[in-house]
Amino acid sequence: MALNTFLLLPQEEDDICKIITDEISFNNIIGNVLCLLNFIRKDKGIKIYYDSKNIKIFLDMCDAFITGHYLENAKYKLENFLTRKSIDIQNKILRDGTCNYLLYTYNKYPVVNNNNTPEIIIVVVENIINYPDQKHLLINVVDHIESCRDVLLVIKDAKHIAGLPKFVRIPFVTEKGELELWLHTNDRAKFSLFNKNSFSRKKGAVVQGKPVFMENKTGYYWYMDNLHKDEYEVFNQNGEHVGTANLNGDFDQTKCIKGRKINL
């Protein structure tokens, strides 16, 4: 699969204060990022883009909470990894300076501060517009950018350009388990656990290394089978196995395994 992935670390002070409280939380985030990037790099069809300015801002912000040893170690690991086979967007033309790029969320519309839109999101927008035949995916680390309708929505606008304003939908994942799931199911338009109208990610819940999602209508729990990767395991509200579903979401109760449970 030809896929362009774009790494975005938190760069706003409020976002970083929420997730970085000590060396343990900092190391967990860096570890998760490196694990995710290493998984991506194993697939030669996936390109990794990053913003060196974004990385620097994140690490500089963390300096208020983390001692120098941890910061230097993280900086070395990130730079050593990213500079090998990844692409720094700072080396490319980033934006059309005559346009506004506004992150849209229903609860906070209208958005007026164009300066807060991260540069790498603008690069994703331009890539989606200019290369519609390619696939693009944002790595929204720890889900720090608020989403709307299961994607990031960005408005590109300018008075002097015909065809604008334009909404651009950016799909995103937050960690390795979600990425694995997305790679197996992104081409299925009719069903996806990432459809936030139908499913909600259960924070912190992982089974067989895969994220768990709750079906909003039934309260059932779904996760992708880690062995076969061609079906979902489904459990009721009590964590009892009730059957499986194929990748199109077709539920099969006959495959229920009595006595099988998960603890969430």
Side-chain angles (χ1 to χ4, degrees), residues 7 9 26-42 48 55 58-59 70 72-84 86 139 141 174-176 179:
L7 174 66
L9 296 179
F26 176 76
N27 285 333
N28 284 341
I29 289 175
I30 296 299
N32 288 336
V33 169
L34 292 173
C35 179
L36 191 151
L37 293 176
N38 189 54
F39 175 81
I40 293 175
R41 192 175 62 179
K42 291 179 180 178
I48 302 174
I55 303 293
F58 171 74
L59 293 175
Y70 291 95
E72 288 303 315
N73 189 39
K75 181 180 179 181
Y76 170 78
K77 288 181 178 179
L78 284 171
E79 289 182 347
N80 185 51
F81 187 99
L82 290 171
T83 54
R84 279 183 282 171
S86 307
I139 309 300
V141 174
T174 64
E175 40 85 8
K176 178 188 171 186
L179 175 62

Side-chain angles (χ1 to χ4, degrees), residues 9 16 20 22-27 30 34 54-80:
L9 296 179
I16 293 174
I20 303 292
D22 52 26
E23 284 83 0
I24 295 176
S25 58
F26 176 76
N27 285 333
I30 296 299
L34 292 173
N54 168 242
I55 303 293
K56 184 179 186 305
I57 291 174
F58 171 74
L59 293 175
D60 286 348
M61 287 282 188
C62 291
D63 188 41
F65 312 95
I66 311 301
T67 60
H69 168 73
Y70 291 95
L71 277 174
E72 288 303 315
N73 189 39
K75 181 180 179 181
Y76 170 78
K77 288 181 178 179
L78 284 171
E79 289 182 347
N80 185 51

Side-chain angles (χ1 to χ4, degrees), residues 192-207:
S192 172
L193 296 186
F194 291 109
N195 181 348
K196 293 188 177 181
N197 292 320
S198 302
F199 291 90
S200 302
R201 171 75 189 271
K202 186 168 177 59
K203 293 290 186 180
V206 176
V207 178

Side-chain angles (χ1 to χ4, degrees), residues 85-102:
K85 292 186 178 180
S86 307
I87 303 167
D88 185 0
I89 66 165
Q90 288 294 326
N91 298 325
K92 295 180 174 293
I93 298 175
L94 303 183
R95 68 164 77 202
D96 183 340
T98 64
C99 293
N100 290 323
Y101 301 83
L102 307 176

